[in-house]
Amino acid sequence: MNILSAFVVALGLSMDNFAVTIASGCADRGELKHARVLGVSVSFALAHVIMFCAGWWGGRELGRVIDRFDHWIAFFVLAFIGLKMIKEAFEHKEKPELCRRLSVKTVLALAVATSLDALLVGMALSLSQAPFGLTLGFLALCVLATSYSGFFLGSFLGRRFGTAMEVLGGAALLAVSVKVLLSGLGIW
């Protein structure tokens, strides 16, 4: 596995995360605070790093156990948050800043849901001759960059297109949850 392959793996692992942060950003119509978005983005990156390392060191046995239900966990967490976003889009009340609305519990749930693939990829790559440090570094940087930019892109779209983008963001989370579930079941 070369440098380009390690980067592509890291970028691929960060795409679900990018979709989730864009969808979350769509719910916000106010000005996002850079420091708060950076903190949430670091949480997403840290979850990916922890899951990747756990997978790398966990080995194949843990992979067989986790592989049976990881897609169900991700599906329920992402679907729940997506449905909640759609419901809140139709509530006509003054909304607080998005990153303040994302409680620590919600951030942790989203971080874990989007990083479960990193656990399994870490397991798979530990069996190959993949460069651990390089892949881990690319993963941390890709997730941090996609999270940070995803929130701001989503926020811009939310301000520009209003409730429609918030509903679309929730629908995107639902679509990602279904894709994760179908992929985990071997259907897609």
Side-chain angles (χ1 to χ4, degrees), residues 114-142:
T114 60
S115 66
L116 287 171
D117 287 346
L119 179 75
L120 298 175
V121 169
M123 287 178 194
L125 291 182
S126 72
L127 303 174
S128 69
Q129 297 302 316
F132 173 76
L134 187 64
T135 307
L136 186 64
F138 280 145
L139 178 62
L141 289 174
C142 285

Side-chain angles (χ1 to χ4, degrees), residues 98-155:
L98 171 74
C99 283
R100 270 192 241 129
R101 269 195 309 171
L102 287 178
S103 67
V104 171
K105 195 160 90 172
T106 301
V107 169
L108 289 175
L110 286 171
V112 169
T114 60
S115 66
L116 287 171
D117 287 346
L119 179 75
L120 298 175
V121 169
M123 287 178 194
L125 291 182
S126 72
L127 303 174
S128 69
Q129 297 302 316
F132 173 76
L134 187 64
T135 307
L136 186 64
F138 280 145
L139 178 62
L141 289 174
C142 285
V143 172
L144 187 63
T146 58
S147 297
Y148 191 80
S149 60
F151 275 112
F152 286 103
L153 176 60
S155 179

Side-chain angles (χ1 to χ4, degrees), residues 62-72 119-120 123 184-185:
L62 181 60
R64 290 185 200 133
V65 173
I66 297 293
D67 192 40
R68 292 182 194 146
F69 61 86
D70 70 331
H71 48 281
W72 286 103
L119 179 75
L120 298 175
M123 287 178 194
L185 294 173

Side-chain angles (χ1 to χ4, degrees), residues 11-47:
L11 191 59
L13 284 172
S14 68
M15 286 299 103
D16 282 349
N17 185 72
F18 189 51
V20 166
T21 56
I22 288 174
S24 297
C26 285
D28 183 51
R29 307 233 179 90
E31 197 65 32
L32 293 176
K33 306 283 187 224
H34 290 278
R36 179 68 172 129
V37 172
L38 182 60
V40 173
S41 299
V42 167
S43 299
F44 280 99
L46 187 59

Side-chain angles (χ1 to χ4, degrees), residues 48-66:
H48 276 75
V49 165
I50 290 169
M51 289 293 204
F52 184 81
C53 290
W56 188 279
W57 292 310
R60 282 190 268 182
E61 202 54 45
L62 181 60
R64 290 185 200 133
V65 173
I66 297 293

